[in-house]
Amino acid sequence: MKVYTMNAPAENTPADTIQIKLHESEALARILAIRQGETIGALDLRKSRPNWWEAYHTFVSPESRGSGVAGKMFDELVSWARENQYKIIPSCSYVEKKFDEPGAPVEVLAS
């Protein structure tokens, strides 16, 4: 589990502590963003073949959008892929966009 302190999107609000947790089973994985015990984001994956995972869905609650939560989940995805020598298939539009950015971690991108 990783813990991040992030600035809240609303004006004059204190920084939020966001926990990023990864849950993995044989065929599925989910990265969760949790604030004060409430899940505010999820990045869902399914195993495509050995060491290849498809990132097929990313969601952030409406009140948390634009605050960097999805980016933290993507960072966790990349760390997890590097640590386990996994390749990622980006079928969700958010993850696909992140891999298209300059300096993207293409070493974990499935080709």
Side-chain angles (χ1 to χ4, degrees):
M1 174 183 65
K2 295 188 179 164
V3 177
Y4 298 92
T5 299
M6 305 173 68
N7 291 327
E11 65 279 342
N12 300 323
T13 58
D16 288 325
T17 299
I18 306 293
Q19 295 177 327
I20 304 295
K21 295 183 178 183
L22 184 132
H23 301 275
E24 178 184 353
S25 69
E26 185 64 30
L28 299 171
R30 176 172 258 194
I31 298 169
L32 297 174
I34 301 165
R35 176 191 296 132
Q36 298 175 350
E38 180 183 342
T39 299
I40 59 168
L43 195 159
D44 295 315
L45 302 114
R46 60 184 154 230
K47 188 175 267 186
S48 172
R49 58 186 185 177
N51 295 328
W52 284 43
W53 290 83
E54 177 189 6
Y56 67 91
H57 180 251
T58 303
F59 175 80
V60 175
S61 63
E63 63 275 1
S64 297
R65 291 179 186 161
S67 66
V69 170
K72 294 299 181 195
M73 292 189 299
F74 179 79
D75 292 346
E76 180 64 17
L77 169 65
V78 171
S79 293
W80 174 70
R82 284 178 176 150
E83 290 169 11
N84 294 284
Q85 298 179 337
Y86 292 152
K87 296 292 184 182
I88 304 300
I89 303 165
S91 66
C92 123
S93 61
Y94 177 79
V95 174
E96 190 174 287
K97 182 185 106 189
K98 293 295 283 182
F99 277 115
D100 285 340
E101 292 178 354
V106 295
E107 73 276 5
V108 299
L109 183 60
S111 55

